[in-house]
Amino acid sequence: MQLQITDGYITGYAVVGGFPDGIEVPDSFLEELEPEKIGYYKYEGGKAILDEEKYAAYLAEKEQGEASQ
């Protein structure tokens, strides 16, 4: 399995194939990720660490957008 990393954040993953600059990780790494939070996990020291502030800001923005409709 490979991870796609952009600016320190996991922005994609591939279980088949890969990315030109992908980082190889064990298939079990996928168990650490919640697909809807891809883009909000930092890749540090071989682990996925959720950037809770960034994800909370995204949720607040999403709620605000839905409320204005």
Side-chain angles (χ1 to χ4, degrees), residues 19-53:
F19 304 99
D21 294 323
I23 295 174
E24 193 70 34
V25 295
D27 288 348
S28 61
F29 193 88
L30 189 56
E31 296 169 9
E32 295 182 42
L33 305 176
E34 294 179 57
E36 69 275 5
K37 295 179 182 176
I38 296 294
Y40 301 96
Y41 287 105
K42 290 182 179 180
Y43 184 71
E44 296 179 351
K47 296 186 184 255
I49 300 172
L50 182 62
D51 183 335
E52 294 190 28
E53 280 186 34

Side-chain angles (χ1 to χ4, degrees), residues 36-37 40 50 52-66:
E36 69 275 5
K37 295 179 182 176
Y40 301 96
L50 182 62
E52 294 190 28
E53 280 186 34
K54 186 175 178 179
Y55 188 66
Y58 159 74
L59 290 178
E61 187 177 303
K62 183 178 173 184
E63 281 182 20
Q64 189 175 33
E66 290 173 357

